[in-house]
Amino acid sequence: MRVRELEIENFRKFRRLVRLTGFDDGLNLVCEGNEAGKSTVLDALRAALFERHGSKSERIQSFRPHGEEVAPTVRLTFETGGETWSVRKRFLQKAEVVLEGPRLRATGDEAEERLQELLGFTRATNRGADADTRGALGLLWVEQGQSFVLDAPGEAARRTLDAVLAGEVGAVTGGRRAAAVMQAVEKSLAELLTPRTDQPTRRLRAAQQAAEQADAVAAEAQRELVQFEDVLTRLEARRAEDRRLLRDLADPEEARQIATLEADVERARMASQALAAAQSHLREAVAVRERLEERAARRAGLRVTLAAAAQRRDATLANSADQARALETARAEEGHAASLLEAARDALREAEERRRAARVAKAEGDRRRILAAAFARLDAAAAIAAELDAVQRSLATTAMTEAALERLQSLERAVVERRAAATAAAATLQVELRPGAPATLLNGVAIEGDTRVPATERQVLDIAGVGTVTVEPPAGGKAALAAWRAAEQDLAGFLAQVGQASMDEARAAARLRNRLEQAGQALAARLAAACPADPALGAATGLNALRGALGGEDRPDPGALAPAGETSGEDAEARWEAARESERSAQGRREAAVEALRTAELAEVRQAGEAARANVDHERFAGELAAEVAALDDEGLAGQSSEARTVEARAVLARDEARRAASGLDEAALTRRRAGLVLKRERMREERLGLVQEIARLEERARTLGGAGPASRAAAATEAADAARAAHERLREEAEVLRLLKQVIGDAQLAASRRYLAPITRRVAPYISRLLPNASLALGDEYAPRALVRGGLEESADVLSKGTQEQLAVLTRIAFADLLIEKGKPASLILDDALVFADDDRFETVLEILADAARRMQVIILSCRASAYRALDAKRIVIV
């Protein structure tokens, strides 16, 4: 299979239409930055093929761009089996699918089924497509973060691999006959059970429902039979209970007991009334006696209270005189404290005046000293500023800046390089003079000893008495010589521009400028330190700010800067503190005297109130006692009390006699016993009426149920239920047999495939040896890498490093793809951000293997690392 074109719209981050075109048959590279949508491209490819267009699962909902109610749409053009196909799927809103190919256009479920047949995958589940349904392409299209997973292929992919291996090993796995048998078994089993969940399908479900319905009918008929028998049983029980009630109601003993109890209740009522009257008379006598005793006690209490009130009245009169004397004393002390406070305040005002004058004098002295220090800083800063100005003027007169020096050095290097280039291409004139040789001139200049010069220009050697030798430079060196001269002219021109005669002078000037710049920086720092901010003057940082702050000030006379009267100022402060302390002390004493006067006044008021209350209480208690005695004197109160005690004693005797008469008769108990017997008979009568009604209802119910023939109907329903259960059991056993047959055939094919995993192992072996020399890969029962064999030792695949696991997973998928392509099955390899754990050497080796695989299949690599794939010969696909 080969991807040719992909269009995506309203799919996750791709809100506008995005198109990927130009896919090659071999190696294709989609290299974009993070969050550019590479993984979304793979999700869209999968959605176009494997997801059901009509699904509304959570995964399909996630295709929508966040916060937008749109319809995600994907259109894919691909080739398989030499034919070009196009599928377009629209999800959620007006969902649709259209499949177009050679002489075919299908829509809806037909298009989904043709896609499944064409590419060898199965129908997605309600939650969406997964590893078990995507088939071989799902195994070979590796999403981000899953390239190192060594899990076994999904169910659909395993079936495809099983079929391919069956073709490789021929009769060992049954070949086409085994596949046909398996297909027939699966088809028959599908009529009874669902392929993946083993849930009953239409035929088995109908038999199951028929059996359940027949069981329900039989159960209902049996319940009706049990109900009829229960009605007959309850009818007989109610008739027997009615006969017992009639017998109990006709018993004469209960009527006699009720009449006897009524006579006893009447006698008990009369005795109880006599006892209640005696008790009432006794309570009245006791109340009279208690009232007289309370009156005598209250009169005695009034006499005691009156004596106490007289004592309190006398005591309060004595206390009032003492309190008046204390009040006069407090008033005198308060007046004395007030005069002392006034004197202390006068002394404090005088001390404050002296202190204020001393502070003004000190502030004026401090101000003069601050101004003197500020003027001194101004003088120092002005001197520094003058030096800094001189340095800056010197800097302005030299053109030898750092940039100019770098330019000169660059020109000097150019001269050296051009000279080297010119001399390298020129001949060399070497003159060796022996002792006693005649005078020799080179270009008119006498030479002695040995001389060696490059012949970049015409050289004339004049030997006295011998002749001349002329050396011409080679014609091919003129360009290098011209470049040398141009470089020298550029150097000389720039030296003239910066006003320097030579490079040495230029370097010296640059060093001088550097020293001047350093001096300027030091002076600027000193100037900033000499002109700090001065809050006392309100001056900000800087020379100009200091000058502005001192602009309206006169320079203080140095003779006026001596400290002025610090001792007198300290003395004024001490006198002020002492005066404040004396004033506060006098104020405290005055406050204490005022508080004492207030307390004395309050005490005097309280004492006057207590005296008035004591006098009022005495008069009130004397009046109450006089009124009490006037109403009934003491002799009359004593006589009435004696008579009340006699009446009470006679009432006690009458109460005791009535209690003895009523002790044998309990009216309440007798009444309860009589009421119980009467209530019993009433309940029996009511209960019998209910029984009569219940018996009539049960007789009618028995006639109704008996007329429907419940026994025969229950027997017929039970027979029908047995037949339905037998039919369902036969179909269920048939399903179990088919499932067992499918499992046995599958196990047989799997066992044969396990013995013949060599086709996959043979294809992956060259890749493993290129990546890990002298190593081989052992596959497990489910075609997943089980172990890596190195040096005769097996290393479990799940304990290898993440990088090695990732590389083995990629190489195994290439081998799977090779096997599928050789057998004519659709296959292509897509890797999303794979090989993230590979080191540089292994990364390059796997890239070489992928490049080789791309000669046999289409390979699409999605990556964000452009530099890692820069040397890869691949078709670059851009997301536009």
Side-chain angles (χ1 to χ4, degrees):
M1 177 197 172
R2 294 178 178 84
V3 174
R4 291 307 182 199
E5 185 176 78
L6 178 66
E7 293 180 358
I8 312 170
E9 186 175 10
N10 293 326
F11 194 99
R12 290 189 179 156
K13 72 173 295 146
F14 296 138
R15 289 173 170 80
R16 62 176 181 82
L17 178 63
V18 172
R19 182 180 290 108
L20 287 84
T21 61
F23 286 94
D24 201 356
D25 288 348
L27 193 57
N28 299 269
L29 178 64
V30 180
C31 200
E32 301 282 356
N34 291 129
E35 300 186 0
K38 301 180 298 300
S39 298
T40 304
V41 168
L42 180 53
D43 288 340
L45 276 170
R46 285 177 160 176
L49 297 181
F50 307 133
E51 300 292 352
R52 287 186 291 166
H53 71 286
S55 173
K56 298 186 184 300
S57 66
E58 231 179 85
R59 179 180 299 170
I60 302 301
Q61 297 287 344
S62 72
F63 292 165
R64 272 179 169 162
H66 181 67
E68 296 186 15
E69 295 294 327
V70 294
T73 305
V74 183
R75 180 179 177 276
L76 173 64
T77 302
F78 62 93
E79 289 184 9
T80 183
E83 296 177 338
T84 300
W85 294 81
S86 173
V87 59
R88 179 181 179 275
K89 283 189 181 180
R90 176 188 175 101
F91 299 96
L92 299 176
Q93 295 181 357
K94 297 181 180 179
E96 65 173 352
V97 56
V98 178
L99 176 66
E100 295 179 321
R103 301 171 303 282
L104 172 70
R105 187 180 190 277
T107 60
D109 290 341
E110 180 187 359
E112 298 279 17
E113 293 170 0
R114 294 301 300 269
L115 263 180
Q116 295 166 21
E117 295 172 1
L118 191 64
L119 298 177
F121 61 93
T122 58
R123 179 183 175 87
T125 65
N126 292 332
R127 292 188 300 272
D130 54 19
D132 288 335
T133 62
R134 291 188 186 120
L137 287 178
L139 174 65
L140 303 178
W141 291 6
V142 186
E143 62 185 314
Q144 188 180 57
Q146 298 298 313
S147 56
F148 57 86
V149 176
L150 297 175
D151 293 342
E155 181 179 346
R158 285 201 305 273
R159 288 182 180 177
T160 303
L161 291 174
D162 288 344
V164 171
L165 287 175
E168 286 259 329
V169 300
V172 174
T173 58
R176 294 181 179 176
R177 290 189 299 275
V181 171
M182 179 63 80
Q183 290 177 357
V185 170
E186 289 178 347
K187 182 178 179 181
S188 299
L189 184 58
E191 294 178 355
L192 300 173
L193 296 175
T194 57
R196 300 184 62 187
T197 60
D198 286 341
Q199 296 299 315
T201 56
R202 181 179 57 79
R203 184 181 172 195
L204 182 58
R205 186 165 57 248
Q208 181 179 354
Q209 291 173 351
E212 292 173 353
Q213 292 173 358
D215 286 339
V217 171
E220 179 63 25
Q222 188 65 30
R223 281 194 298 272
E224 290 179 359
L225 177 60
V226 171
Q227 186 179 12
F228 175 68
E229 293 174 349
D230 180 61
V231 167
L232 294 178
T233 302
R234 284 189 290 128
L235 177 59
E236 183 59 30
R238 294 297 183 270
R239 286 171 175 169
E241 188 174 354
D242 183 54
R243 289 192 293 271
R244 286 195 300 272
L245 282 174
L246 286 174
R247 185 176 63 250
D248 292 340
L249 286 171
D251 187 3
E253 180 62 25
E254 283 191 357
R256 186 187 61 78
Q257 289 179 359
I258 291 174
T260 302
L261 285 173
E262 286 179 351
D264 292 342
V265 167
E266 184 62 27
R267 287 195 300 274
R269 182 182 298 111
M270 294 177 63
S272 177
Q273 289 175 353
L275 177 60
Q279 288 176 338
S280 176
H281 183 62
L282 176 61
R283 283 194 296 273
E284 291 177 0
V286 170
V288 170
R289 191 258 307 166
E290 289 177 350
R291 283 196 299 273
L292 291 171
E293 289 178 351
E294 288 176 1
R295 189 171 185 180
R298 184 168 62 255
R299 181 174 297 184
L302 277 173
R303 289 192 173 98
V304 173
T305 304
L306 179 61
Q311 291 178 356
R312 285 198 302 274
R313 181 192 59 184
D314 296 340
T316 54
L317 291 175
N319 290 335
S320 296
D322 295 339
Q323 191 62 45
R325 289 190 295 273
L327 179 58
E328 289 299 326
T329 302
R331 285 172 178 164
E333 289 180 353
E334 190 276 333
H336 180 65
S339 62
L340 290 178
L341 176 60
E342 186 62 29
R345 284 175 176 171
D346 292 340
L348 177 59
R349 284 193 291 271
E350 183 181 354
E352 284 179 344
E353 289 296 330
R354 292 179 179 176
R355 173 172 172 264
R356 188 179 300 109
R359 285 192 168 185
V360 169
K362 183 177 182 301
E364 292 177 354
D366 292 342
R367 173 74 175 175
R368 287 194 298 273
R369 284 191 292 275
I370 290 171
L371 287 174
F375 275 109
R377 290 200 307 275
L378 179 61
D379 295 341
I384 295 171
E387 292 182 35
L388 179 59
D389 185 59
V391 169
Q392 290 175 344
R393 286 196 302 273
S394 299
L395 285 172
T397 59
T398 176
M400 275 310 298
T401 63
E402 185 176 354
L405 180 60
E406 291 179 356
R407 173 65 177 161
L408 282 174
Q409 290 174 343
S410 174
L411 293 172
E412 186 181 30
R413 286 194 297 273
V415 169
V416 173
E417 292 172 357
R418 300 298 187 276
R419 181 191 301 121
T423 56
T428 301
L429 175 62
Q430 183 171 355
V431 180
E432 298 179 357
L433 298 178
R434 296 187 178 88
T440 304
L441 301 177
L442 179 60
N443 297 328
V445 179
I447 61 174
E448 296 179 0
D450 297 341
T451 300
R452 179 185 177 91
V453 295
T456 56
E457 297 180 351
R458 182 179 184 184
Q459 305 291 327
V460 178
L461 185 65
D462 187 0
I463 304 173
V466 176
T468 61
V469 177
T470 301
V471 179
E472 296 288 344
K478 290 182 179 180
L481 181 61
W484 179 15
R485 289 175 179 171
E488 287 181 336
Q489 290 172 356
D490 291 342
L491 177 60
F494 195 75
L495 282 171
Q497 181 180 344
V498 296
Q500 303 298 326
S502 65
M503 279 298 299
D504 292 338
E505 290 183 5
R507 290 190 180 93
R511 287 194 295 273
L512 175 61
R513 181 182 179 86
N514 188 29
R515 288 195 297 273
L516 287 173
E517 288 178 346
Q518 292 177 355
Q521 293 173 358
L523 288 171
R526 287 175 56 198
L527 180 60
C531 300
D534 192 339
L537 294 175
T541 305
L543 178 59
N544 292 332
L546 183 59
R547 282 176 177 163
L550 296 176
E553 301 288 347
D554 296 329
R555 187 182 292 269
D557 185 5
L561 297 178
E566 291 186 1
T567 303
S568 61
E570 293 175 357
D571 182 59
E573 288 287 338
R575 288 183 180 181
W576 176 73
E577 289 291 342
R580 284 184 65 197
E581 183 176 347
S582 298
E583 190 269 342
R584 288 297 175 88
S585 177
Q587 186 177 357
R589 287 193 294 271
R590 165 68 186 282
E591 290 174 354
V594 171
E595 184 64 27
L597 176 58
R598 185 181 297 111
T599 302
E601 289 175 346
L602 291 175
E604 197 273 337
V605 172
R606 283 197 302 272
Q607 187 62 39
E610 288 177 3
R613 285 192 298 273
N615 190 46
V616 171
D617 289 343
H618 180 267
E619 293 178 355
R620 178 168 57 82
F621 293 143
E624 289 180 1
L625 181 59
E628 174 68 21
V629 173
L632 180 64
D633 59 10
D634 293 341
E635 184 177 354
L637 179 61
Q640 289 183 8
S641 298
S642 176
E643 182 181 357
R645 284 191 290 273
T646 301
V647 172
E648 181 183 1
R650 286 197 295 269
V652 169
L653 293 175
R655 189 268 320 268
D656 293 342
E657 183 179 354
R659 182 177 293 169
R660 284 192 297 273
S663 61
L665 297 172
D666 187 350
E667 181 183 0
L670 293 171
T671 301
R672 284 196 298 274
R673 287 179 58 192
R674 183 194 64 181
L677 289 175
V678 172
L679 181 61
K680 177 182 177 183
R681 292 184 66 82
E682 291 296 328
R683 285 178 177 172
M684 290 170 63
R685 291 189 182 96
E686 290 295 330
E687 186 175 352
R688 185 175 180 278
L689 291 176
L691 282 174
V692 170
Q693 181 179 354
E694 178 70 9
I695 289 170
R697 187 181 65 81
L698 290 174
E699 288 175 347
E700 185 63 27
R701 181 66 175 159
R703 281 193 295 272
T704 301
L705 292 175
S712 59
R713 207 160 65 84
T718 301
E719 183 178 353
D722 292 341
R725 281 197 300 273
H728 172 251
E729 186 64 23
R730 285 195 300 274
L731 288 178
R732 192 185 63 77
E733 290 176 355
E734 181 182 348
E736 289 296 328
V737 170
L738 289 172
R739 184 164 54 185
L740 179 61
L741 179 60
K742 176 186 174 183
Q743 182 179 352
V744 170
I745 295 175
D747 290 345
Q749 289 180 334
L750 180 59
S753 297
R754 289 174 182 171
R755 293 197 304 272
Y756 290 91
L757 283 173
I760 300 177
T761 306
R762 184 174 63 252
R763 287 170 175 81
V764 79
Y767 307 143
I768 300 298
S769 62
R770 286 178 66 177
L771 183 71
L772 302 168
N774 302 319
S776 61
L777 183 66
L779 297 177
D781 295 341
E782 300 295 330
Y783 307 120
R786 178 179 57 82
L788 187 66
V789 182
R790 287 190 282 199
L793 299 176
E794 283 194 0
E795 301 175 56
S796 178
D798 56 4
V799 301
L800 298 172
S801 69
K802 287 294 183 185
T804 304
Q805 289 186 23
E806 182 182 42
Q807 295 145 27
L808 294 180
V810 171
L811 298 182
T812 305
R813 287 181 171 98
I814 296 175
F816 288 153
D818 285 336
L819 181 63
L820 292 169
I821 290 173
E822 289 177 10
K823 300 305 176 182
K825 300 291 184 180
S828 61
L829 188 64
I830 301 179
L831 303 176
D832 184 7
D833 267 336
L835 305 176
V836 294
F837 299 106
D839 58 38
D840 292 342
D841 292 339
R842 290 192 182 181
F843 184 78
E844 291 181 0
T845 301
V846 176
L847 284 189
E848 293 172 359
I849 295 173
L850 285 172
D852 291 343
R855 298 189 180 97
R856 304 182 299 277
M857 68 188 77
Q858 186 182 54
V859 178
I860 300 175
I861 298 175
L862 307 168
S863 177
C864 60
R865 299 187 296 164
S867 59
Y869 294 93
R870 188 168 289 122
L872 189 64
D873 184 15
K875 179 65 177 295
R876 264 64 177 177
I877 306 298
V878 181
I879 301 176
V880 295

Coordinates of all heavy atoms in Angstrom, one line a residue, residues 466-503:
V466 N 82.4 42.2 -13.3 CA 81.9 40.9 -13.8 C 80.7 41.2 -14.7 O 80.7 40.7 -15.9 CB 81.5 40.0 -12.7 CG1 80.9 38.7 -13.3 CG2 82.7 39.7 -11.8
G467 N 79.7 41.9 -14.2 CA 78.5 42.2 -15.1 C 77.3 42.3 -14.2 O 77.4 42.4 -13.0
T468 N 76.2 42.2 -14.8 CA 74.9 42.2 -14.1 C 74.0 41.0 -14.4 O 74.1 40.4 -15.4 CB 74.0 43.5 -14.6 OG1 73.8 43.3 -15.9 CG2 74.8 44.8 -14.3
V469 N 73.2 40.7 -13.3 CA 72.3 39.5 -13.4 C 70.9 40.1 -13.1 O 70.7 40.7 -12.1 CB 72.6 38.4 -12.4 CG1 71.6 37.3 -12.5 CG2 74.0 37.9 -12.7
T470 N 69.9 39.9 -14.0 CA 68.6 40.4 -13.9 C 67.6 39.2 -13.7 O 67.6 38.3 -14.5 CB 68.2 41.2 -15.1 OG1 69.1 42.3 -15.2 CG2 66.7 41.8 -14.9
V471 N 66.8 39.3 -12.7 CA 65.8 38.2 -12.4 C 64.4 38.8 -12.5 O 64.0 39.8 -11.8 CB 65.9 37.6 -11.0 CG1 64.9 36.5 -10.8 CG2 67.3 37.0 -10.8
E472 N 63.6 38.3 -13.5 CA 62.3 38.8 -13.7 C 61.3 37.9 -13.0 O 61.4 36.7 -13.0 CB 61.9 38.8 -15.2 CG 62.8 39.7 -16.1 CD 62.4 41.2 -15.9 OE1 61.3 41.5 -15.3 OE2 63.3 42.1 -16.3
P473 N 60.3 38.6 -12.4 CA 59.3 37.7 -11.7 C 58.4 37.0 -12.7 O 58.3 37.4 -13.8 CB 58.4 38.8 -10.9 CG 58.6 40.0 -11.7 CD 60.0 40.0 -12.3
P474 N 57.9 35.8 -12.3 CA 57.0 35.0 -13.2 C 55.8 35.8 -13.6 O 55.2 36.6 -12.8 CB 56.7 33.8 -12.4 CG 56.9 34.1 -11.0 CD 58.0 35.2 -11.0
A475 N 55.3 35.6 -14.8 CA 54.1 36.3 -15.2 C 52.8 35.9 -14.4 O 52.0 36.7 -14.2 CB 53.8 35.9 -16.7
G476 N 52.8 34.7 -13.9 CA 51.6 34.3 -13.1 C 51.5 34.9 -11.7 O 50.5 34.7 -11.1
G477 N 52.5 35.5 -11.2 CA 52.5 36.1 -9.9 C 52.1 37.5 -9.8 O 52.1 38.1 -8.8
K478 N 51.8 38.1 -11.0 CA 51.4 39.5 -11.0 C 50.1 39.8 -10.2 O 50.0 40.8 -9.5 CB 51.3 40.0 -12.4 CG 52.6 40.1 -13.2 CD 52.4 40.6 -14.6 CE 53.8 40.7 -15.3 NZ 53.7 41.2 -16.7
A479 N 49.2 38.9 -10.3 CA 47.9 39.1 -9.6 C 48.2 39.1 -8.1 O 47.6 39.9 -7.3 CB 46.9 38.1 -10.0
A480 N 49.0 38.1 -7.6 CA 49.3 38.1 -6.2 C 50.0 39.3 -5.7 O 49.8 39.8 -4.7 CB 50.1 36.8 -5.9
L481 N 51.0 39.8 -6.6 CA 51.8 40.9 -6.3 C 50.9 42.2 -6.2 O 51.0 43.0 -5.3 CB 52.9 41.1 -7.3 CG 53.8 42.3 -7.1 CD1 54.5 42.2 -5.8 CD2 54.8 42.5 -8.2
A482 N 49.9 42.3 -7.2 CA 49.0 43.4 -7.2 C 48.1 43.4 -5.9 O 47.9 44.5 -5.3 CB 48.1 43.4 -8.4
A483 N 47.7 42.2 -5.5 CA 46.9 42.1 -4.3 C 47.7 42.6 -3.1 O 47.2 43.2 -2.2 CB 46.4 40.7 -4.1
W484 N 49.0 42.2 -3.1 CA 49.9 42.6 -2.0 C 50.0 44.1 -1.9 O 49.9 44.7 -0.9 CB 51.3 41.9 -2.2 CG 52.3 42.2 -1.1 CD1 52.1 42.8 0.1 CD2 53.7 42.0 -1.2 NE1 53.2 43.0 0.8 CE2 54.3 42.5 0.0 CE3 54.5 41.5 -2.2 CZ2 55.6 42.4 0.3 CZ3 55.9 41.4 -1.9 CH2 56.4 41.9 -0.7
R485 N 50.3 44.7 -3.1 CA 50.4 46.1 -3.1 C 49.1 46.8 -2.7 O 49.2 47.9 -2.0 CB 50.9 46.6 -4.5 CG 52.3 46.2 -4.8 CD 52.6 46.5 -6.3 NE 54.0 46.2 -6.6 CZ 54.5 46.2 -7.8 NH1 53.8 46.5 -8.9 NH2 55.8 45.9 -8.0
A486 N 48.0 46.3 -3.2 CA 46.7 46.9 -2.8 C 46.5 46.8 -1.3 O 46.0 47.8 -0.7 CB 45.6 46.2 -3.5
A487 N 46.9 45.7 -0.7 CA 46.7 45.6 0.8 C 47.6 46.6 1.5 O 47.2 47.2 2.5 CB 47.1 44.1 1.2
E488 N 48.9 46.7 1.0 CA 49.8 47.7 1.6 C 49.2 49.1 1.4 O 49.3 50.0 2.4 CB 51.1 47.6 1.0 CG 51.9 46.4 1.4 CD 53.3 46.3 0.8 OE1 53.5 47.0 -0.3 OE2 54.2 45.7 1.3
Q489 N 48.6 49.4 0.3 CA 48.0 50.7 0.0 C 46.8 51.0 1.0 O 46.7 52.1 1.5 CB 47.6 50.9 -1.4 CG 48.8 51.0 -2.4 CD 48.3 50.9 -3.8 OE1 47.1 50.7 -4.1 NE2 49.2 51.1 -4.8
D490 N 46.0 49.9 1.2 CA 44.9 50.0 2.1 C 45.3 50.3 3.5 O 44.8 51.1 4.2 CB 44.0 48.7 2.1 CG 43.3 48.5 0.8 OD1 43.2 49.5 0.0 OD2 42.9 47.4 0.5
L491 N 46.4 49.6 3.9 CA 47.0 49.8 5.2 C 47.5 51.2 5.4 O 47.2 51.9 6.4 CB 48.1 48.8 5.5 CG 48.8 48.9 6.9 CD1 47.8 48.8 8.0 CD2 49.9 47.8 7.0
A492 N 48.3 51.7 4.4 CA 48.8 53.0 4.4 C 47.8 54.1 4.4 O 47.8 55.1 5.2 CB 49.8 53.3 3.3
G493 N 46.7 53.9 3.6 CA 45.6 54.8 3.6 C 44.9 54.9 4.9 O 44.6 56.0 5.3
F494 N 44.6 53.8 5.5 CA 43.9 53.9 6.8 C 44.8 54.5 7.9 O 44.3 55.2 8.8 CB 43.4 52.5 7.2 CG 42.4 52.5 8.3 CD1 41.1 52.9 8.0 CD2 42.7 52.2 9.6 CE1 40.1 52.9 9.0 CE2 41.8 52.3 10.6 CZ 40.5 52.6 10.3
L495 N 46.1 54.2 7.8 CA 47.1 54.8 8.8 C 47.0 56.3 8.7 O 47.0 57.1 9.6 CB 48.5 54.3 8.6 CG 48.8 52.9 9.2 CD1 50.2 52.5 8.7 CD2 48.8 53.0 10.7
A496 N 47.0 56.8 7.4 CA 46.9 58.3 7.2 C 45.6 58.8 7.7 O 45.5 59.9 8.2 CB 47.1 58.6 5.7
Q497 N 44.5 58.0 7.5 CA 43.2 58.4 7.9 C 43.1 58.6 9.4 O 42.5 59.6 9.9 CB 42.1 57.4 7.5 CG 40.7 57.8 7.8 CD 39.7 56.7 7.4 OE1 40.0 55.9 6.5 NE2 38.5 56.8 7.9
V498 N 43.8 57.7 10.2 CA 43.7 57.9 11.7 C 44.9 58.7 12.2 O 45.1 58.8 13.4 CB 43.8 56.5 12.3 CG1 42.5 55.7 11.9 CG2 45.0 55.7 11.9
G499 N 45.7 59.3 11.2 CA 46.8 60.2 11.6 C 48.0 59.5 12.3 O 48.6 60.1 13.2
Q500 N 48.3 58.3 11.8 CA 49.5 57.6 12.4 C 50.4 57.2 11.2 O 50.0 57.0 10.1 CB 49.0 56.3 13.1 CG 48.0 56.5 14.2 CD 48.5 57.3 15.3 OE1 49.7 57.3 15.6 NE2 47.7 58.2 15.9
A501 N 51.7 57.3 11.6 CA 52.8 57.0 10.5 C 53.0 55.6 10.4 O 53.4 55.1 9.3 CB 54.1 57.8 10.9
S502 N 52.9 54.8 11.4 CA 53.2 53.3 11.3 C 52.3 52.6 12.2 O 51.6 53.2 13.1 CB 54.7 53.1 11.7 OG 54.9 53.4 13.1
M503 N 52.4 51.3 12.1 CA 51.6 50.4 13.0 C 52.0 50.5 14.4 O 51.2 50.5 15.3 CB 51.7 48.9 12.5 CG 50.8 48.6 11.3 SD 49.0 48.8 11.7 CE 48.8 47.6 13.0

